[in-house]
């Protein structure tokens, strides 16, 4: 990022975010990412189980 881009007045229209707010946002993003990954793992396990059930019958 260029110096001009980092100093653009419209970059943070409400002012620079605090470290606390950035940390909270990162924690929330991590929670969402972990939940999505778990959902994918669960769907893959269910699909594998369904495929195994079809093969057995």
């Amino acid at each position: 990022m260029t110096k001009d881009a980092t100093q653009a007045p419209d970059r943070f229209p409400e002012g620079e975010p605090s470290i606390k707010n950035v940390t909270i946002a990162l924690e929330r993003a991590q929670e969402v990412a972990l939940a999505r990954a778990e959902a994918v793992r669960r769907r893959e396990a269910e699909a594998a189980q369904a495929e195994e059930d079809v093969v057995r019958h």
Side-chain angles (χ1 to χ4, degrees):
M1 200 178 301
T2 66
K3 185 176 181 182
D4 293 336
T6 60
Q7 294 179 353
D10 59 347
R11 181 169 175 227
F12 298 110
E14 298 177 14
E16 291 283 333
S18 69
I19 295 295
K20 180 180 177 182
N21 286 343
V22 170
T23 301
I24 291 169
L26 287 172
E27 288 171 349
R28 288 181 184 160
Q30 182 180 28
E31 289 171 1
V32 169
L34 290 172
R36 287 179 177 167
E38 179 58 31
V40 168
R41 281 191 292 273
R42 193 172 28 242
R43 281 194 300 270
E44 289 175 347
E46 289 170 356
Q49 183 64 46
E51 187 175 323
E52 189 176 308
D53 291 346
V54 168
V55 171
R56 284 188 210 163
H57 295 283

